[in-house]
Amino acid sequence: MPEKDDAYKNILNREKVEKDVKKFFQSQIYLLKSLVDYGTNLMPRCFSSSKREIEDIVILSVLLKHVVSMLDSIEILFAKGAIFTAQLQARALFESSLYIEWIFEKNTKSRSKQYYVWILRQEMDLAKKVTTGFSESDKFLEILEKFDEFIIEELKINNELYKKELETYNNFLLSEDYKEINLAFEKQKEKSIKKQEAPWYKLSGPSSICDMAERLNRRAEYEIFYRHYSNVMHGTSFQEHISISKGKLYLDHIRSLKNSDVLLITTISTILKLYWMIIEYYRPNELEHFRKKFVSEWGEKIKSIKEVKEIYKDVDL
């Protein structure tokens, strides 16, 4: 096949797939946008009703914002027919929804602190790697020197700034509210064979995302969807790329409507469950309004989601 500069239409046909999305899923694109818009209003509305403590910052300003950001990305990718890559955002959305539900499940303040301390410990670990004078930095800086001298110079210039950041992190982690949690993480790290940080949720029980889903009675969602999305994330989704029939190898399209109905249903059901959970915790008087909004604006669009039979002929290699 002669070399060309434009896309090979049998593998990537942007115009066709975008037209097909509008043909089959126009109302669902509107629904995704509507759910994103609702989430952007839900964050400040709930925060104004909160006590503005650490759990409210973690749940609303970090995790819920992350979820809404992922939903926004899914809408953008879906509209372009990039269903396959939108599954990465769906994975992140599902995982963060589990985090929020786990924090809500019990000991909300304590679990929020664990999440926050864990994040700060990650930041502190990175700061140590780029600040001279720490054992963590020796090997890291040696590796960087092989790649980019400019970065090394920048690190040297900002070395004092990084030291001040480290001091700030350290003072915070040693404060009365957080020192016990920080010490617990330190003990977990020492127990690790590779001296690695434990996941933030391990202090409260779960050993993995799978274990957390099990404890929250969401194991089925994990097995069916999250595991599949993880394969997409790690490049092990073999059957998403090729098929073999009668001794021939066929290459799937980069963009198509394959699994579009599954992506929509799993994403929308996750986001609706999460929004309900957030409202129930922060503004329970709004639950009836949320229910009515679902019935009047969103319900029919969800019911009308249909599987689109593959309308893109795979490429015979």
Side-chain angles (χ1 to χ4, degrees), residues 228-240:
H228 170 73
Y229 295 154
S230 293
N231 288 337
V232 176
M233 172 70 77
H234 300 299
T236 54
S237 52
F238 193 82
Q239 293 180 335
E240 291 281 349

Side-chain angles (χ1 to χ4, degrees), residues 104-121:
F104 275 147
E105 198 250 353
K106 66 179 179 181
N107 302 326
T108 299
K109 182 179 289 293
S110 175
R111 291 179 181 182
S112 297
K113 285 183 176 181
Q114 289 167 7
Y115 176 87
Y116 189 48
V117 168
W118 184 81
I119 293 295
L120 288 180
R121 285 177 62 87

Side-chain angles (χ1 to χ4, degrees), residues 9-25 78 80-83 243 250-260 308-316:
K9 298 295 184 182
N10 286 343
I11 294 178
L12 178 58
N13 192 329
R14 297 182 180 92
E15 296 78 13
K16 174 174 171 49
V17 74
E18 287 180 37
K19 287 180 181 178
D20 289 337
V21 170
K22 290 179 180 179
K23 178 181 178 181
F24 294 106
F25 295 109
F78 199 101
K80 293 293 184 180
I83 309 302
S243 58
Y250 294 89
L251 188 67
D252 286 357
H253 289 253
I254 288 176
R255 297 191 196 180
S256 76
L257 301 187
K258 186 178 181 180
N259 296 326
S260 51
V308 177
K309 297 296 183 181
E310 195 56 44
I311 52 179
Y312 304 89
K313 186 178 179 180
D314 292 345
V315 182
D316 179 358

Side-chain angles (χ1 to χ4, degrees), residues 45-144:
R45 194 163 71 247
C46 289
F47 197 73
S48 67
S49 301
S50 73
K51 296 180 180 179
R52 306 189 180 211
E53 296 184 350
I54 185 62
E55 61 266 34
D56 309 310
I57 295 171
V58 168
I59 292 167
L60 299 172
S61 303
V62 179
L63 291 174
L64 179 58
K65 182 176 179 292
H66 182 74
V67 166
V68 176
S69 298
M70 292 302 102
L71 184 63
D72 181 51
S73 297
I74 290 170
E75 184 271 312
I76 293 169
L77 290 167
F78 199 101
K80 293 293 184 180
I83 309 302
F84 177 73
T85 49
Q87 293 174 105
L88 303 180
Q89 280 66 36
R91 177 187 186 273
L93 186 153
F94 178 76
E95 186 170 326
S96 291
S97 77
L98 285 180
Y99 288 175
I100 294 174
E101 187 172 356
W102 182 251
I103 291 172
F104 275 147
E105 198 250 353
K106 66 179 179 181
N107 302 326
T108 299
K109 182 179 289 293
S110 175
R111 291 179 181 182
S112 297
K113 285 183 176 181
Q114 289 167 7
Y115 176 87
Y116 189 48
V117 168
W118 184 81
I119 293 295
L120 288 180
R121 285 177 62 87
Q122 308 307 302
E123 295 291 329
M124 192 169 181
D125 181 63
L126 178 59
K128 284 182 178 179
K129 287 180 179 178
V130 298
T131 306
T132 57
F134 290 91
S135 59
E136 291 89 342
S137 70
D138 296 340
K139 187 175 181 180
F140 185 73
L141 294 176
E142 184 181 332
I143 294 171
L144 280 181

